[in-house]
Amino acid sequence: MIDHRPGDLSPREPLGSTELSMPRDRVSLQKSNVCSRSYFVLVMVFVHVYIINVIALLLYVHYNNGPGDSSAVDGQDSASPSFINSGSHPQPLPLPVNPDPGPDAMYLPRLEGIKVLTHSRVRDGIWLTPENVREIYAGLKADPDGNGMLSVQEFKKLNTNAFQQFLQQRGVEKSQLVRNSKHTWLYQGEGAHRVLRQLQQRVTRLTRLPLDIVENSEPLQVVRYQRGGHYHAHHDSGPVYPETVCYHTKLAANASTPFETSCRYITVLFYLNSVPGGGETTFPVADNRTYEELSLIQNDVDLLDTRKHCDKGNLRVKPSQGTALLWYNYLSDGKGWVGDLDEYSLHGGCVVTQGTKWVANNWINVDPDSRRQTRYQQLVSRLGGEETATKRLEELYRGIHADQNQNLHTYQDLHQNPHTDQDLHTDQNLHTDQDLHQNQDLHTDQDLHQDLHTDQDLHQNFHTDQDLHQDL
Ligand SMILES: O=C(O)CCC(=O)C(=O)O
Ligand SMILES: [Fe+2]
């Protein structure tokens, strides 16, 4: 490049001054030459690096796509890729191609993972055993090879209405339900019976949570199982996604979302009587090293089935009157708040073989979104009053209705009369508040205080009264 600065070729410059101006031009020319050469070299280097990168990227994509590509690789025709077939997989899996093994290169073939879909085994409160699922697939001709698994194509073809109709036509026995028990709710707020108020205070002390959190949680749920009653293994609360909204804080949430759950951070399960036969609470995978939903069913043993396989659970707790069990349904987030669902908290009620079983659940609800929990508590304390409490609890119950489809009552029923459940009310086993107070079935604060223990004593997530007695 030539330096054409106007001053260099100025017409006003005397000719004699050309000699002087020459070196300047030369210098200027040399300089611009060096500049242009290095600039050119630099550009070329970039262009080459860019081209090499593009080629490398294309090669990478090509080899990572395996033999399904349009081109032949390693002498294989794309139309006849090599497959392995273990026999147990419904679809043959393509074998990945070694990119460039070289003469001495070591190469470990690695199979691509496959996605396994499972559909819920609970429909309208009906619990499906693996045999039920096979039976339904056969009835709907949904699984032509009869291996109990549907390919994605088969799954897509499955008409869910037909699934529903099949269940309805078949009829359901109580033993086929997720749970075979009755329950009612006891309001523990202002104006509730002294025993229930005290119980709430003691749960607050036991959990060491702020009173606000405990008071704004669900009421006490009292459950009765008769002989033959059970509750298949389940989680008391659902997983948390960014969109998850808790029923109890819905008032403070601005958005509605299909991801709603009860956000039961803690369960305190009271045993109201000692059960003559069966009725243990089982934790099938407590202390397991891994949790995989699919391995809960192995060799025809379904660990979720508390009618058949309670004895195979890792931890079983025998109901003993006046004792209680506490566990966390969520892990800690490491910062002092609620984290992910603790899948190992899976639990259920074993079938009652003799007598009746009475328990009560105290669920402590905490929103994994701490700001939403705070907003909700502020809202409740600002609004206060019975009307707000009613609205709030109606929301909660609507949610639980949708969530569990159990035989629940509306808040209205409960609030006006905590014992409106027809069955329970007519049953001699359900006591009035008065009875409960006098009856040994429900203990006084003093008794329970001795039976309950602080979470410091508690061994891992599940804590039996027996263990704790030994610890103390
Ligand atoms: O009955 C039991 O032992 C367990 C009850 C239970 O898990 C529940 O009510 O959610
Ligand atoms: Fe439960």
Side-chain angles (χ1 to χ4, degrees):
M1 236 211 290
I2 300 168
D3 188 355
H4 282 300
R5 281 172 302 174
D8 291 343
L9 296 173
S10 163
R12 278 182 282 128
E13 248 177 15
L15 282 173
S17 68
T18 315
E19 266 183 26
L20 285 173
S21 66
M22 276 297 282
R24 261 189 22 223
D25 264 348
R26 214 179 299 133
V27 169
S28 168
L29 273 170
Q30 277 168 357
K31 252 191 189 163
S32 69
N33 261 348
V34 170
C35 262
S36 76
R37 219 179 4 254
S38 53
Y39 181 74
F40 177 75
V41 168
L42 203 65
V43 167
M44 288 314 285
V45 166
F46 274 119
V47 167
H48 279 86
V49 167
Y50 180 76
I51 291 171
I52 289 166
N53 269 337
V54 169
I55 292 171
L57 192 69
L58 286 173
L59 284 173
Y60 175 82
V61 170
H62 174 77
Y63 285 118
N64 273 284
N65 275 347
D69 272 348
S70 56
S71 57
V73 182
D74 280 357
Q76 271 181 11
D77 190 287
S78 63
S80 57
S82 71
F83 290 118
I84 56 155
N85 191 349
S86 67
S88 61
H89 286 290
Q91 300 288 330
L93 294 172
L95 189 69
V97 173
N98 182 357
D100 182 14
D104 302 318
M106 296 277 281
Y107 169 64
L108 302 174
R110 197 178 163 103
L111 306 180
E112 280 299 310
I114 54 165
K115 196 165 185 160
V116 179
L117 300 167
T118 56
H119 60 72
S120 168
R121 285 173 55 195
V122 180
R123 286 266 171 153
D124 284 352
I126 304 166
W127 196 77
L128 303 171
T129 62
E131 300 89 77
N132 295 154
V133 175
R134 272 199 289 272
E135 188 194 338
I136 291 171
Y137 285 168
L140 295 176
K141 297 190 176 55
D143 178 26
D145 58 10
N147 67 350
M149 281 196 277
L150 301 188
S151 68
V152 175
Q153 283 76 19
E154 286 167 341
F155 185 79
K156 280 184 185 158
K157 268 193 240 153
L158 190 67
N159 178 344
T160 46
N161 287 339
F163 204 96
Q164 203 76 14
Q165 279 159 14
F166 183 88
L167 280 174
Q168 277 161 11
Q169 280 161 15
R170 199 190 57 167
V172 187
E173 286 169 22
K174 277 191 171 175
S175 60
Q176 289 174 308
L177 298 173
V178 178
R179 71 187 298 181
N180 177 10
S181 62
K182 292 269 182 191
H183 57 256
T184 193
W185 301 87
L186 297 182
Y187 174 69
Q188 288 182 279
E190 233 169 274
H193 193 278
R194 191 167 59 86
V195 170
L196 293 165
R197 298 286 286 162
Q198 284 170 355
L199 201 58
Q200 190 173 60
Q201 282 159 14
R202 293 172 57 197
V203 165
T204 310
R205 285 204 296 276
L206 173 71
T207 56
R208 301 179 180 185
L209 292 174
L211 181 63
D212 280 11
I213 288 190
V214 178
E215 278 183 343
N216 290 316
S217 293
E218 290 167 67
L220 189 75
Q221 187 195 57
V222 180
V223 189
R224 185 198 64 195
Y225 302 82
Q226 286 178 314
R227 200 156 73 92
H230 72 275
Y231 194 168
H232 287 312
H234 60 278
H235 292 108
D236 279 351
S237 201
V240 171
Y241 306 108
E243 306 89 344
T244 299
V245 162
C246 307
Y247 301 134
H248 76 287
T249 54
K250 241 179 123 180
L251 269 184
N254 311 324
S256 85
T257 154
F259 298 96
E260 289 179 6
T261 191
S262 43
C263 300
R264 291 166 171 165
Y265 177 48
I266 292 180
T267 302
V268 182
L269 178 72
F270 298 101
Y271 292 114
L272 303 183
N273 73 333
S274 301
V275 183
E280 300 91 340
T281 305
T282 178
F283 295 84
V285 292
D287 294 338
N288 264 16
R289 287 164 75 87
T290 54
Y291 176 88
E292 275 174 67
E293 214 177 315
L294 285 179
S295 25
L296 294 172
I297 308 177
Q298 270 176 24
N299 307 325
D300 274 341
V301 173
D302 182 356
L303 288 176
L304 300 183
D305 191 332
T306 55
R307 297 190 70 83
K308 283 197 196 143
H309 301 299
C310 246
D311 55 322
K312 300 182 188 75
N314 285 354
L315 173 66
R316 270 185 320 286
V317 182
K318 202 170 161 42
S320 168
Q321 189 179 61
T323 63
L325 210 52
L326 177 152
W327 68 88
Y328 293 89
N329 297 300
Y330 291 91
L331 300 168
S332 163
D333 69 348
K335 293 179 245 156
W337 201 253
V338 182
D340 288 336
L341 179 73
D342 185 350
E343 290 171 318
Y344 299 89
S345 70
L346 186 77
H347 64 279
C350 305
V351 64
V352 175
T353 53
Q354 241 188 305
T356 304
K357 170 181 171 186
W358 285 90
V359 291
N361 281 302
N362 233 159
W363 284 298
I364 312 299
N365 310 98
V366 183
D367 194 318
D369 180 337
S370 58
R371 280 175 307 185
R372 202 159 54 206
Q373 176 75 28
T374 310
R375 270 208 313 278
Y376 158 72
Q377 279 174 212
Q378 283 166 350
L379 195 72
V380 170
S381 67
R382 210 172 44 241
L383 298 173
E386 201 157 314
E387 202 184 319
T388 331
T390 308
K391 269 210 200 96
R392 196 158 39 95
L393 287 171
E394 270 174 357
E395 194 66 72
L396 185 67
Y397 283 112
R398 233 196 318 274
I400 297 170
H401 266 291
D403 190 29
Q404 299 180 344
N405 201 15
Q406 294 166 354
N407 47 348
L408 297 182
H409 312 270
T410 63
Y411 173 72
Q412 214 65 16
D413 294 341
L414 294 165
H415 195 57
Q416 280 156 15
N417 180 0
H419 308 291
T420 51
D421 186 303
Q422 272 311 319
D423 296 340
L424 289 171
H425 200 51
T426 50
D427 195 295
Q428 290 306 307
N429 284 320
L430 189 72
H431 309 272
T432 61
D433 274 359
Q434 202 57 36
D435 294 336
L436 281 171
H437 189 48
Q438 286 154 8
N439 197 297
Q440 289 305 307
D441 280 3
L442 193 69
H443 298 267
T444 62
D445 205 31
Q446 203 54 40
D447 299 336
L448 281 168
H449 199 53
Q450 281 154 20
D451 292 329
L452 298 174
H453 305 272
T454 64
D455 55 356
Q456 235 164 21
D457 305 324
L458 301 171
H459 178 62
Q460 296 176 354
N461 279 330
F462 312 108
H463 319 282
T464 69
D465 203 47
Q466 279 95 334
D467 291 344
L468 293 169
H469 267 300
Q470 282 158 19
D471 288 348
L472 287 173

